[in-house]
Amino acid sequence: MLVDLAKRIYREREQPTTLSTLAYQSALLELSLLVLRKLPQMKQPLPPSPAEKVVDAACSWYATRLAERPSVRDVAREVHVSPSTLRRMFQEVRRQTPLKVFSRLRLEASMQLLAESNLKLEDVANACGYSCASDFCRSFHAEMKRTPAAWRRDLPTGPGYVRR
């Protein structure tokens, strides 16, 4: 195949015509395809579905308003769907209810605050949308199997780990 391609290009170089430029481009395209076919094929990710876009928007909006403790109805209104449609989309995309996902978002935000600050548990609880420190501690312990104070105490320290 390469030899045939070289012969065609050689003829175009020796006796150029008005189509020679197209012949060079065609040869370059054939060479590119030849190389690309030898590379391992990677699967292209599918574009996000409309439900994925809504779920991502809902999670992003919720994560920025944890302290306000928005309800599923509030989130649904913000992403322009009904609460039941939002629940269905969460099941389809995340295989979980919105409440479970939002609970995880609150927990992750609290872990970040615990790791990066010296805020009191009450302040962490308020910032992450928990009604009080005891509610926060109970939720944290149920998920992490240890108290927030113990989790914070056991964080790694030393070079590369900066606790503010």
Side-chain angles (χ1 to χ4, degrees), residues 10-129:
Y10 184 77
R11 281 193 302 265
E12 290 296 332
R13 195 176 65 100
E14 293 298 314
Q15 298 174 354
T17 66
T18 54
L19 299 177
S20 291
T21 303
L22 288 174
Y24 296 144
Q25 289 177 354
S26 172
L28 183 59
L29 184 60
E30 285 182 52
L31 279 172
S32 298
L33 286 172
L34 186 64
V35 169
L36 289 173
R37 284 188 185 114
K38 296 292 181 187
L39 294 176
Q41 296 297 309
M42 293 183 283
K43 290 187 177 184
Q44 285 286 80
L46 294 174
S49 70
E52 288 173 312
K53 289 178 184 178
V54 169
V55 167
D56 289 344
C59 290
S60 294
W61 186 85
Y62 185 86
T64 62
R65 288 166 181 78
L66 293 174
E68 300 167 19
R69 292 189 288 201
S71 67
V72 172
R73 175 172 273 134
D74 296 331
V75 177
R77 186 180 322 112
E78 187 61 30
V79 295
H80 310 291
V81 297
S82 70
S84 61
T85 298
L86 186 65
R87 285 184 194 94
R88 183 179 46 75
M89 288 177 162
F90 266 84
Q91 283 295 336
E92 176 185 326
V93 173
R94 299 275 176 100
R95 306 282 188 258
Q96 293 180 326
T97 66
L99 289 177
K100 183 71 175 166
V101 173
F102 296 159
S103 176
R104 186 67 192 184
L105 289 173
R106 289 187 349 209
L107 179 70
E108 289 170 0
S110 71
M111 291 168 70
Q112 185 171 357
L113 282 176
L114 288 170
E116 296 177 355
S117 74
N118 290 321
L119 289 175
K120 294 179 180 179
L121 292 182
E122 188 70 39
D123 296 330
V124 172
N126 288 334
C128 296

